[in-house]
């Protein structure tokens, strides 16, 4: 396993910046909102915004995670994924369950994690606006 070199905050910054620039399928119609860390645990997400889906507006809820790069046959789930893969851990079951409940009512509710874990990769994606 290769531990991530980037922080979750670093990833949140880069990915949300791209959302604001319109680098996603649905454009934002309001600036993203960031709850405090205390509130985040209760509501289940890192950022919310309003998006335009072409037919109207819908809320968007994102929970960001950073990825661990699982390498080689020593990776825990090698039988299921017989090549290198990325994963993230869910440590807060209450927060996860709250996010799942939100997704039951609002279809644009997502976990967002990168398919990279090294700072050099982040820098390249950030420069090329390809984090998302």
């Amino acid at each position: 396993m290769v531990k991530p070199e980037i922080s979750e905050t670093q990833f949140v910054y880069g990915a949300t910046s791209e959302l604001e620039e319109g680098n996603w399928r649905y454009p934002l119609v309001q600036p993203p909102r960031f709850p405090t860390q205390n509130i985040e645990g209760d509501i289940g997400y890192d950022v919310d915004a309003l998006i335009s889906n072409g037919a109207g507006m819908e809320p968007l809820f994102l929970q960001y995670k950073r990825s661990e790069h699982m390498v080689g046959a020593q990776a825990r789930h090698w039988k299921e994924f017989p090549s290198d893969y990325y994963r993230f851990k869910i440590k807060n079951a209450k927060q996860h369950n709250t996010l799942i409940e939100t997704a039951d009512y609002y279809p644009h509710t997502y976990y967002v994690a990168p398919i990279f874990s090294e700072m050099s990769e982040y820098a390249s994606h950030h420069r090329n606006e390809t984090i998302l």
Side-chain angles (χ1 to χ4, degrees):
M1 172 180 65
V2 179
K3 294 244 183 221
E5 292 178 355
I6 63 171
S7 69
E8 185 176 305
T9 302
Q10 188 77 45
F11 180 60
V12 168
Y13 167 75
T16 304
S17 294
E18 285 188 17
L19 281 173
E20 288 188 290
E21 294 299 317
N23 293 354
W24 192 55
R25 180 178 181 179
Y26 303 111
L28 299 183
V29 295
Q30 73 176 30
R33 296 184 305 174
F34 298 87
T36 66
Q37 286 185 330
N38 293 337
I39 293 173
E40 175 196 336
D42 292 333
I43 60 177
Y45 53 85
D46 288 318
V47 65
D48 73 89
L50 202 55
I51 58 172
S52 173
N53 67 3
M57 294 183 288
E58 292 184 80
L60 170 69
F61 302 98
L62 303 175
Q63 175 60 44
Y64 290 104
K65 296 290 183 188
R66 59 189 191 148
S67 298
E68 297 173 335
H69 188 189
M70 305 307 289
V71 180
Q74 288 77 30
R76 184 176 183 182
H77 298 286
W78 189 256
K79 288 182 181 177
E80 293 88 1
F81 303 102
S83 63
D84 296 355
Y85 62 94
Y86 291 88
R87 72 171 187 188
F88 61 86
K89 294 180 182 177
I90 298 173
K91 297 177 184 174
N92 185 331
K94 179 184 178 286
Q95 184 182 35
H96 171 73
N97 291 336
T98 300
L99 191 66
I100 295 301
E101 289 171 10
T102 300
D104 287 341
Y105 296 98
Y106 302 104
H108 294 290
T109 302
Y110 306 101
Y111 277 104
V112 182
I115 55 170
F116 53 85
S117 62
E118 295 179 11
M119 184 54 81
S120 61
E121 293 171 297
Y122 173 83
S124 176
H125 284 288
H126 188 271
R127 202 172 28 258
N128 295 311
E129 296 182 349
T130 57
I131 292 173
L132 293 175

